[in-house]
Amino acid sequence: MKEVEIISVKKYPEYKEIAIKYFQSKWASPNSMKVYDDCITNCITTSSPLPQWYLLMDDGKIIGCAGLITNDFISRMDLYPWVCALYIEEEYRRNTYGFFLLEQAKIDAKVAGFSHLYLCTDHIGYYEKYGFKYIGTGYHPWGDSSRIYVATL
């Protein structure tokens, strides 16, 4: 497995524009482009430890991303922080690169004083390999539901 690097946009704001474009290309719809632009832009100037946005780099090329946020548009607003927008480019999958992004989110959440980290997904079997446990179902404002997982930090 190649060595990869995780870039925190909060720590390295010079990556802001490429991070916005990358997250938008993987996760945004025409109606949600501004969500990533605004959130990533403002994570740089806030004194709060959240949100965080990460780029996974392989020799200067972005091969994945993830976020660490206060709520992932889900009904369980009593739970936070959340890992969101985890993505690994297809040709880099099956190399456990997602693990590195999840571990960075766990580290940053723990440093920020949190004891748990959450995520919502429809995937079954992936996150369990990395210490997440299913705890129930949450509901999105657009009518869908997702499985909720927790990891103890």
Side-chain angles (χ1 to χ4, degrees):
M1 179 169 35
K2 295 168 111 178
E3 189 166 322
V4 294
E5 178 183 13
I6 296 174
I7 301 292
S8 163
V9 179
K10 188 177 200 64
K11 293 177 186 169
Y12 298 96
E14 61 270 24
Y15 286 88
K16 178 185 88 162
E17 291 303 323
I18 63 168
I20 290 168
K21 286 180 183 12
Y22 188 78
F23 276 91
Q24 287 173 332
S25 75
K26 302 306 174 192
W27 293 106
S29 70
N31 293 330
S32 65
M33 299 291 272
K34 279 295 205 185
V35 170
Y36 291 98
D37 187 331
D38 194 43
C39 191
I40 293 170
T41 296
N42 286 296
C43 86
I44 295 166
T45 58
T46 183
S47 61
S48 172
L50 301 176
Q52 287 269 0
W53 296 95
Y54 308 108
L55 295 173
L56 185 64
M57 310 290 286
D58 177 25
D59 197 26
K61 176 184 177 188
I62 302 172
I63 64 167
C65 64
L68 177 62
I69 59 175
T70 57
N71 187 276
D72 200 9
F73 302 105
I74 196 150
S75 57
R76 292 298 306 272
M77 293 188 188
D78 57 312
L79 306 175
Y80 58 91
W82 296 79
V83 172
C84 72
L86 178 67
Y87 183 84
I88 303 295
E89 293 289 341
E90 275 195 52
E91 63 267 27
Y92 289 87
R93 293 179 187 170
R94 293 170 188 51
N95 290 300
T96 67
Y97 288 138
F99 166 81
F100 297 116
L101 289 163
L102 292 169
E103 283 302 302
Q104 188 63 57
K106 287 178 180 179
I107 290 166
D108 287 345
K110 189 171 185 169
V111 167
F114 296 101
S115 59
H116 295 87
L117 181 61
Y118 302 89
L119 62 84
C120 58
T121 185
D122 295 328
H123 294 289
I124 298 172
Y126 179 77
Y127 294 98
E128 293 89 336
K129 292 186 277 189
Y130 303 116
F132 285 86
K133 293 182 180 156
Y134 172 73
I135 60 169
T137 301
Y139 304 91
H140 300 286
W142 50 89
D144 292 343
S145 63
S146 290
R147 297 171 59 87
I148 297 175
Y149 289 81
V150 64
T152 301
L153 305 178

